[in-house]
Amino acid sequence: MFRSGVGFLALFGAGWWFLGIGGFGATAGVIGAVAGCAVAAALMYAAWRLLPVSAGGPLPPAKRRRFAQVNGVQWLLIAVVAVGCGRAGAPELIPPLIALVVGLHFVPLASAFDQPRLRLPAALLCLVGAAGLVLALTGGSAEGVRAVVGLGSAVSLWVTAVLTVRADRTAHTTVPGAGAGTG
């Protein structure tokens, strides 16, 4: 399911989606939750069905270490953002700052995995995070900030997942036996 990173993109996209729909009310929230789960499930199914087992798989030790380092720093920064904004009385800044951290974490991953396409979520998440910061700092509601950042981040990750399935599927059908990247 996590071939070429599609599972991660799908599931983290769903998490952002749920953040974004959180203030939509009961009916819209339920419909949104079902839609978000359906998108994530469809992306994971597409990766499982359309990509060969070689798309992804175990990382070589050096890449696995780099992945762990980048993600360790990312989670540390997320914790610092959450605690710092909470203590500063600015919880509305948490989602946009986390989107920036998550976006920036894709930059070293793009290099480590030789996957230039990971620059797309890097750019999109940083753009969404910046938009959320502007909204928060100019008096936008916390619900509005969560909607912009959550939905924007979800769509960014899901678009990247779709492009990944498409690119890796094309790579495997045009070059017999070729392995896909492990983004």
Side-chain angles (χ1 to χ4, degrees):
M1 269 197 283
F2 287 83
R3 294 177 185 168
S4 293
V6 172
F8 291 110
L9 295 166
L11 292 176
F12 280 104
W16 282 108
W17 182 262
F18 295 138
L19 173 73
I21 65 171
F24 284 5
T27 302
V30 169
I31 293 168
V34 170
C37 289
V39 170
L43 288 168
M44 290 188 292
Y45 179 77
W48 173 75
R49 184 79 172 111
L50 300 175
L51 298 179
V53 173
S54 63
L59 295 173
K63 286 185 180 186
R64 189 172 43 242
R65 270 191 307 278
R66 186 65 178 143
F67 178 78
Q69 291 167 344
V70 169
N71 280 289
V73 170
Q74 173 194 227
W75 287 106
L76 177 64
L77 290 173
I78 287 171
V80 167
V81 164
V83 170
C85 289
R87 287 191 177 170
E92 68 280 359
L93 297 179
I94 295 172
L97 290 175
I98 289 177
L100 287 169
V101 168
V102 173
L104 291 172
H105 110 288
F106 280 106
V107 174
L109 290 181
S111 174
F113 294 139
D114 299 318
Q115 293 293 328
R117 72 174 159 248
L118 291 178
R119 293 184 191 128
L120 176 65
L124 293 174
L125 288 166
C126 287
L127 182 64
V128 166
L133 275 177
V134 168
L135 185 59
L137 295 173
T138 58
S141 71
E143 273 185 4
V145 171
R146 286 191 303 271
V148 166
V149 174
L151 299 176
S153 296
V155 170
S156 298
L157 294 175
W158 288 342
V159 164
T160 303
V162 168
L163 295 174
T164 299
V165 169
R166 184 175 176 197
D168 283 0
R169 183 172 184 220
T170 302
H172 285 88
T173 57
T174 58
V175 181
T182 55

